[in-house]
Each structure stands twice: as C-alpha cells, then as structure tokens.
Amino acid sequence: MENSDSFFAIILHVLLLCIGMVIVLIRYFVERKGKKSIYHQIGDKIDFSSSELLEHKNFAEVIVKKLLKKMQDLSVAGDPHISSNIIGIGSAFENLKVKPQIQFDFIVLISLPFQYVSQCIIDEDDIPNAYGKILVSKDWFVNLVITVWYGRQCDFLGKMCNRNYLSAKAVRERFRSLADMAMNILNEEEEYINLTFLQQGPTLKIERRGAPEILVDLVPALKDDSIYLVANVYGGEFELDHCKDVLWRLSFSVQEKAFLEQKDLILPKNACHKRALQILKYLKQEERNSETPPPLWCRRLSSYHLKTVWLHQLHKTRTGQWDETLLEERVLELLDHLIHHLELQTLHHFFLGNTKLIKQAGSLCIPKHFLRKGLNYNLYDEIHHKTIAQSICELKELKKNINLHMTYVLSNLSARH
C-alpha cells in the first residue's frame, strides 16, 4: 500500500512539473509574441501617421495655392501659364515619409502660349532615355492672336526657347523669379507665417508660430499624355553641354503611386513592404548626419536609388513574403539587393523598358511604348565607378554590423522621444 501511495505521489509530482513547464513555455511565447522586434520598434518611431501629416498637408496646399495665384497675377506676355492645379507626389503621398522632416512635393502644371510636340524618347546616343525635348512650333497665326490678346508682341520663343526647343533652365528660372516676388507679397500680407526659399531649386520653407516648419518642393511640369516632363535641369556626368538646358526629365511619380496602390490591394494585412524601405531610408539619413565625413553611399545614392531597388524587389517578391513578421528578413534582403545592383553597376529604371509591366500599362496610366524592350535606363550610369566601389565596401560593412547599427538607431530614437 505504501509503495502504491509513493508511486502516485511521484506521478503527481511529475504531472505538476510538466504543467508548470507548459505554463512557463506558454508565458514565454506569449511575451515573445507581444514584444516587438527592434525593426518593428524603429518602424513605429520613424513613421508619420496619416493624421499627423494631414493637417500639415492641408495647410501647405492652402499656402501653395495662394502663392500660385500671386504668380499668375505677376505673369507677363511670354511667360508660360501657371495652373492653380497641383498634384501631390512622392513619399508623403505614398505613406513612405520618415521623421523628422515634414516635406511635400507638388507638381505645378504649366502650359505654353504656343503648340508644342514632346519628344519624350530620343533615339540619340548622347541623350539619356529618362529625358525628353519639347519642340515648340513657330505658328505665325498663333503669334498674331497672342499679340492681339496682350496688346504687344509676345517674345516667348526668344525668352524661353533655345533653337525652338523649350528650355527647362529658362522655365525654371522664370518660375523661381515669379515665386520669389509672390513670396515677398505673401509675407507682407500674412502676419502669422514666414516664407523663404532655400537655395536648392524652388523649395519653399513655411514657418509659423507653435508649429514645425514645413518644406514644399514646387516642381513645374508639362503633361504629355499621362507622363509629366519636369523642369529639372540635367545634372549628370554625360557630356551634354550642347543640349542639357533643353532636356526635361520624365517623371513617373504618378505611375509609382498607382503601382503601390495596386500592391496594397493584394499584399497581406499590415504588410511590411513600406516599413522596409522606410528603415533603409532612415539608416541613410542617420548615417549622413552622424559621422564626419559621412559615408559616401549615403551622400551619392539618392532616396530615388533606394526606392528603385525596392520597387524591383516589391515586384518580384511573392506577396506572402511581405508579412509583417518578416520585416527583418526583407530589410536585409533590400540591403543585399542594393549591394548586388552596385556590384553589377546596373540599376534599371523601374518603368522604362520594363516589359513585365506591359499588362498593367492601362491601369498604371503609362503608354506601352515606354515599356518596350531595349529602352532600359541605367540609373548608375551617372555615378563614377570609384564611388560605386567605395559604396559597396561601406554597405557591406553596414550589413555586417547591422544589429549594432539598429540598436544605436533605436537608442537615439528612444532618447529623442
């Protein structure tokens, strides 16, 4: 009888021990599941919520439209017409913006007093495929009508064109000149705000009491079919002195936004695709701000280079691989892809020559001839090979010590909050 009692006591002890171990394991996995990874913690801290940006966006739009109205009033015969319509593009409108800077990009549509023909794709060896020319027709009847309308001759061709090609440089400079005058008028009229233009392009800084400053990039552009040609003067390393002033950059920002909206419909709920790019962008931002001198890769590789690598990854990676639990894997994969493209010295534009997007051309509002085979544009053509080689070494070192970098970034973010 005593042996029987002893046996049951042992069984009960083992059973209680097993139950205790199960409870500990359950508690461990519950706590582990509830605790966010360092990648998710960083993602939470660097992301703007929609409500955070909405008030700033609405305010920026009001100021920009007031500025454009003043610019219209200041325009004279021979100026391109500036529309009141603005189109929000870029990271703030794609939920890709990272803190702390509040910045919005707006395309400002302009139109010409003359008819024009946009030559978007030039089959000339010395002109990159991401640029186009705008040929303005010299129509004596149109010129006569404009002269009668304004009461004096309109010297548009002489002021804005170079051999009948519309000069991106001239348009941009006139746009900036009108914007400067309009800004000064607004500063006198609006007591609660202060407007200034930064040196780099028409970037407007909006300051007001009790609120963070807002930066607004104003991008003058012409629309050709569904593609925008923006007045960004060519700044690459090609020998294009003979024509760079008349080159207009093709912008696919509207198509990028449409592509991301389509992806949002088929990706898992709370997919990590946007967080992955945001984390890499923030790492670049922190690297640039934290060291003297900062690594070459974060100075010479633009956010658009990072975004292009990411767009290719997003298009190729199966939708299930963007589950929120796989954020770390996708960030590391994105870093690997960035290094790989640098090693190849090739990073093709996401749209130009991308035949895999032809079936989506209609829904993306992009003419199919832009997607035709052989129209590839290598974004790394404009970066010196020595810069590429050093960037590869720096990024490999970053990847090797990624956990240390992430811990440092999270520590800084926690201190700021």
Side-chain angles (χ1 to χ4, degrees), residues 194-206:
N194 180 57
L195 307 178
T196 51
F197 272 107
L198 305 183
Q199 287 299 316
Q200 63 271 25
T203 301
L204 181 68
K205 181 166 74 170
I206 305 172

Side-chain angles (χ1 to χ4, degrees), residues 141-191:
F141 180 74
V142 173
N143 192 30
L144 176 63
V145 171
I146 293 172
T147 302
V148 171
W149 179 265
Y150 283 108
R152 61 185 182 275
Q153 188 172 3
C154 171
D155 187 26
F156 177 81
L157 293 176
K159 289 170 63 177
M160 293 291 163
C161 295
N162 182 352
R163 292 172 300 176
N164 277 39
Y165 284 107
L166 186 64
S167 168
K169 181 181 179 182
V171 169
R172 190 176 179 85
E173 287 177 350
R174 181 55 181 162
F175 186 91
R176 173 63 189 270
S177 175
L178 289 171
D180 277 333
M181 290 187 284
M183 177 196 70
N184 291 332
I185 295 171
L186 272 182
N187 276 332
E188 291 179 3
E189 294 179 352
E190 308 282 352
E191 295 181 0

